[in-house]
Amino acid sequence: MTDVVTDLSEFDLPFRRKAILRWVEFDSGLVMTRLVLREGHRITQVDFDSETALALGEALVGAATRD
């Protein structure tokens, strides 16, 4: 059996960078939200549990709407 990875969103960022948001279901049944950051040849992947993904989303909205 293999992990199931579903792309959710893709964002073009400043300075030719890219962010990809993925839904990952591992063979064990664990489900995570994965953030992939691409900068040239460098790739960084970070997996979040649902609680942390929600907190990060709220923090991003707060930062984006800050006066």
Side-chain angles (χ1 to χ4, degrees):
M1 201 176 226
T2 60
D3 300 336
V4 177
V5 179
T6 305
D7 286 354
L8 300 174
S9 299
E10 194 169 306
F11 305 92
D12 290 321
L13 304 174
F15 308 109
R16 296 176 20 203
R17 295 177 182 152
K18 185 176 282 193
I20 303 167
L21 192 61
R22 293 182 171 149
W23 180 260
V24 183
E25 297 177 55
F26 294 95
D27 291 341
S28 65
L30 179 67
V31 176
M32 303 286 267
T33 301
R34 177 172 292 165
L35 177 62
V36 181
L37 300 171
R38 294 179 177 263
E39 182 178 6
H41 295 289
R42 184 177 185 184
I43 299 172
T44 302
Q45 291 187 152
V46 182
D47 290 342
F48 298 97
D49 59 30
S50 59
E51 184 177 306
T52 305
L54 182 59
L56 176 62
E58 290 171 352
L60 286 168
V61 168
T65 59
R66 187 175 179 177
D67 291 313

